[in-house]
């Protein structure tokens, strides 16, 4: 379980088509730990790994939220990105996703990613 979770997280954060937007780790509770411990024993007929149990004593799992920025770029109304398009002398309809990684479009890239969060 731990290895597959690690691999899923690694795949999300290393995928260039995904941008992590939120990480939420709720505080653990002794009540949930007791329930987990007894359910684990009931289902698997063995004690839960102490390291995993320790994690749940501190935290009640975690939640990752991420987006595909390339897809979001296609779907967003470019005029809604908080930049002065006229001052930058750029037509939002002509700008493609890969362009925002050019140095001259840094302000647009920052505003775009800020709008996604």
């Amino acid at each position: 379980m731990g290895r597959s979770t690690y691999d899923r997280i690694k795949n999300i954060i290393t995928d260039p088509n995904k941008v992590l937007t939120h990480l939420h780790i709720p505080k653990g509770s002794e009540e949930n730990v007791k329930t987990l411990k007894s359910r684990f024993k009931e289902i698997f007929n063995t004690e839960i790994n102490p390291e995993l149990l320790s994690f749940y004593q501190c935290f009640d799992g975690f939640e990752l939220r991420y987006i595909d920025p390339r897809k979001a770029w296609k779907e967003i109304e470019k005029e809604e990105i908080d930049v002065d398009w006229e001052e930058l002398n750029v037509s939002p309809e002509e700008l493609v996703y890969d362009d925002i990684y050019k140095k001259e479009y840094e302000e647009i890239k920052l505003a775009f990613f800020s709008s996604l969060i």
Side-chain angles (χ1 to χ4, degrees):
M1 179 179 144
R3 185 70 201 174
S4 66
T5 301
Y6 171 82
D7 289 339
R8 282 185 280 170
I9 293 169
K10 184 178 177 186
N11 288 338
I12 290 169
I13 62 175
T14 59
D15 186 337
N17 296 316
K18 293 183 177 128
V19 173
L20 191 62
T21 59
H22 296 83
L23 170 62
H24 176 68
I25 305 175
K27 185 177 178 183
S29 77
E30 283 302 317
E31 185 177 318
N32 289 349
V33 169
K34 288 178 186 176
T35 302
L36 174 64
K37 192 173 180 178
S38 67
R39 293 284 296 146
F40 193 92
K41 176 78 173 173
E42 180 181 311
I43 294 169
F44 298 107
N45 197 30
T46 187
E47 297 295 323
I48 190 169
N49 178 306
E51 289 83 10
L52 184 59
L53 191 61
S54 173
F55 172 83
Y56 283 101
Q57 287 171 327
C58 297
F59 313 108
D60 191 16
F62 62 92
E63 177 183 327
L64 297 175
R65 294 184 194 160
Y66 57 91
I67 56 147
D68 178 341
R70 187 175 298 278
K71 182 179 176 186
W73 180 263
K74 290 177 184 175
E75 295 172 355
I76 194 170
E77 293 292 330
K78 308 303 183 291
E79 294 81 12
E80 293 180 11
I81 299 173
D82 190 22
V83 294
D84 186 339
W85 293 99
E86 288 182 26
E87 182 180 312
L88 293 171
N89 198 25
V90 177
S91 170
E93 290 80 28
E94 294 175 12
L95 198 65
V96 296
Y97 177 75
D98 291 329
D99 288 341
I100 67 174
Y101 288 93
K102 295 177 182 174
K103 186 174 174 76
E104 63 264 29
Y105 301 124
E106 180 75 15
E107 183 179 345
I108 296 169
K109 180 179 80 174
L110 294 173
F112 167 65
F113 280 103
S114 292
S115 73
L116 299 176
I117 296 176

